Amino acid sequence: MPGEGTWWKEAVVYQIYPRSFKDTNDDGIGDLNGITEKLDYLKTLGVNVIWLSPHFDSPNADNGYDIRDYRKIMKEFGTMADFDHLMAEVKKRNMRLIIDLVVNHTSDEHQWFVESRKSKNNPYRDFYIWRDGHNGKTPNNYPSFFGGSAWTLDSKTGQYYLHYFSSKQPDLNWDNSNVRKDVYDIMRFWLDKGVSGFRMDVIPFISKQPELPKLPPATLAHPEYVFANGPYVHQYLQEMNSKVLSHYDTMTVGEAFGVTPEQAKKFTDPRRHELNMLFNFDLVRLDRDDWRKTDWTLPQLKATYTKIDNGSGEYGWNTSFLSNHDNPRAVSHFGDDSPRWREASAKALATMMMTQRATPFIYQGDELGMTNYPFKHIEDYEDVEIRGQWQELVVSGKVPAQEFLKNIKQTSRDNARTPMQWTSKANAGFTAGNPWLSVNPNYVHINAAAQEHNRDSVYNYYRSLITLRSKTPALIYGKYKDIDPANNKVFAYTRTQDDQRYLIVINFSEKQLNYSLPKGIKINSLVLDSGSDHRVKEGATQLVLQPWQASIYKL
Ligand code: TEU
Ligand code: CA
C-alpha cells in the first residue's frame, strides 16, 4: 500500500480546546499546566498526537482564533515556560504535539494591523485587504460567517478592510510576499520549539479572488466555496512546503471549509507537496443548513464516507472526525444521547470513526460520550458566532427567536466547548473557581473518573479500539468498501489489505435486528465488539445485532 509506515497515518490524534480542558489556578479557564497534568490520562487512552487549539496571545474575540502575537502564550493559559514544560513532558511520553496555525487572519490588535490601519502608505498597509467603498456602501456583498458584512469601515483612512469572520479578525493579504515570509518565520519558530506540525485554520481561504467581484446570488448562502477557490492557494501551499515544511518531519492538516471531496486530492496528493490531509466538512455538516438543523439518513451518511474516501484517491490521505470545537457533540449529533442509548451509540460511533481509511481525530470529551448542553436562553451562549447571528437574524426580525433557539440548541459550537468532565465533584473537577462556560449538569454521572476503572465504559472501549487499530495495518491502510450502501439501519463495510480482510457492522437503530450478510461474505472470527455477550460462529452469514451494536470481524 502506498505510504505504509507513515507515522501520521498511524497516529490517533486528540484535540484539546485548552480553555475547557483543565484549570490549575482556579481562574475558571483551562491552562497549559492543566494539559501537562492530564498527559498520563491521554497516554493511557492511547492517543499519540495532541492537536492544541490556539494557545497564542489573543484578546479572545473568538477564543484564540484571533491572534495578537504569534510568539506569545495567551496569558490565561500560562507562560512560555509552561509551554516548554508541556512540550518536554509530551516528548518524554513519546507523544507529539501539533498546534493551530491561524493565518488567514489575525486579531485587529496584532501589531501588523495596528500599523496597517494608521495610514494608506504605512509599510504594513498591504498586509491586509483594504478597499474604497462602492457608492457609499461596502466594496462588495461578501457576508461574514459571524453575521453582517465581511467589510468594516475604518474611519481613520475612510477605507474598508475585509474580514471573513468577525470584525476583530481582519484577513491577511497573502498576495504580499512579506506576509508569507513572516508566516513562514512563525512556523519555524514553533517547529524549532519541537512541535510536529500544524492544523491550519481555514487555509484554503488564503488566496482571495482577484478584484474581489461580488458574489452571484446562488453562492451567497455558501460563500466558502468561492473563498476556498482563489487562484494561488496551491502555489502558496507549495511555497510553504518547500520553504518550511519539507525541512522538518511534520504532519499537516488543513481545515478545508469550502473544499469538496473531489478537490481534496489537489491538496493532499503527496506528489504535489502541499498538505498531508484535510478536514472535510461534508459529514459534520450533513444535516445542516447554516445554523439550521436538518435531517439526515444513514444511506446519505454512508455515501458521504464513500465520497470522502474516493476523494483522497490512491495517494492522498484523509482525516476521520465526528466533532470538534465548532460542532455539536458526536453522540448527540449522530447517535442517541438519551440515558438508555448514550453509551451504546457512542461506542457505535467510535467504531465507525476509528475504522476509516484515515487518521482519527478524537475531540476532548467524546471519549467519555459527553453530550450537548441543555441550552435554554440566548444568554446561555458565549460564542461570537451565535451573538452575531442573533443580531443579524433575530434582533432584525428576520427569524423568530424560538425558531433560532430551537435550532442552535442542536447546532451551536458551545455544545462542544463546555468544560471537560473529569470527576463527579464540583464543576466536574475542571476548576475550583467559576468556570468560564457552564459545566454540563450531567457531569455527575458522565465523567472520566467514573469511566477509567469501568471495563464497559465508553472510555475503555476507545482504548480497545485504539489498541486494535495500532496493531492492525489493514484497519489503517486497507481499502475501504461499503458493502450495503442502501441499508437504512445497518452500516457494513470492509477494510482489505492483501489477504487481510475485516468487516465492520454497525446497527444504527435502537432495535434488535437480524442481518444477513451480503452474498459471498462469511465471518471468520469476532475481533472486537461494543457489547459484552455477543457470540458469533465461524462461517456465520447471519447476524443478530443488538441495538446500536458495533462489531469488527475478521473475514
Ligand atoms: O472555523 C472555520 C469555519 O468556517 C467554521 O467551522 C466556522 O467556525 C463556522 O461554524 C461557520 O459557520 C475555524 C475555526 O475552527 C473556528 O473556531 C474559528 O472561529 C474560525 O475558523 C475563524 O478562525
Ligand atoms: Ca486557569
Side-chain angles (χ1 to χ4, degrees), residues 60-63 65-66 144-147 165-169 381-391 413-414 417:
N60 285 305
D62 187 17
N63 288 350
Y65 283 91
D66 50 320
S144 146
F145 291 109
F146 293 160
F165 296 90
S166 86
S167 60
K168 286 195 60 72
Q169 294 164 295
Y381 296 88
E382 201 274 346
D383 187 6
V384 60
E385 179 172 60
I386 294 297
R387 284 187 265 123
Q389 291 173 342
W390 176 262
Q391 282 303 323
R413 313 196 292 182
D414 280 340
R417 298 179 176 186

Side-chain angles (χ1 to χ4, degrees), residues 41 100 113 124 134 199 261 313 368 371 459 468 531:
Y41 167 86
D100 225 304
F113 193 75
Y124 284 92
H134 184 69
R199 175 269 187 185
L368 306 173
T371 69
Y459 173 85
L468 176 66

Side-chain angles (χ1 to χ4, degrees), residues 72-125:
K72 259 199 195 146
I73 304 294
M74 190 190 296
K75 63 179 187 310
E76 294 87 336
F77 292 175
T79 62
M80 192 58 92
D82 295 339
F83 180 87
D84 292 339
H85 179 55
L86 166 64
M87 192 67 253
E89 292 296 316
V90 166
K91 289 198 165 158
K92 215 190 257 175
R93 289 167 180 78
N94 283 319
M95 297 166 87
R96 299 189 189 238
L97 184 68
I98 67 170
I99 58 173
D100 225 304
L101 187 70
V102 188
V103 288
N104 170 71
H105 45 270
T106 69
S107 162
D108 65 335
E109 297 180 31
H110 192 290
Q111 201 52 43
W112 297 336
F113 193 75
V114 171
E115 287 298 319
S116 187
R117 79 194 321 177
K118 279 185 183 162
S119 71
K120 286 186 179 172
N121 51 21
N122 186 283
Y124 284 92
R125 185 65 170 182

Side-chain angles (χ1 to χ4, degrees), residues 135 140 308 319 324 343 382 433 474-475 522 535:
N135 298 334
N140 73 12
I308 292 174
T319 60
N324 60 28
E343 290 183 88
E382 201 274 346
L475 289 178
K522 56 174 195 264
R535 295 276 174 270

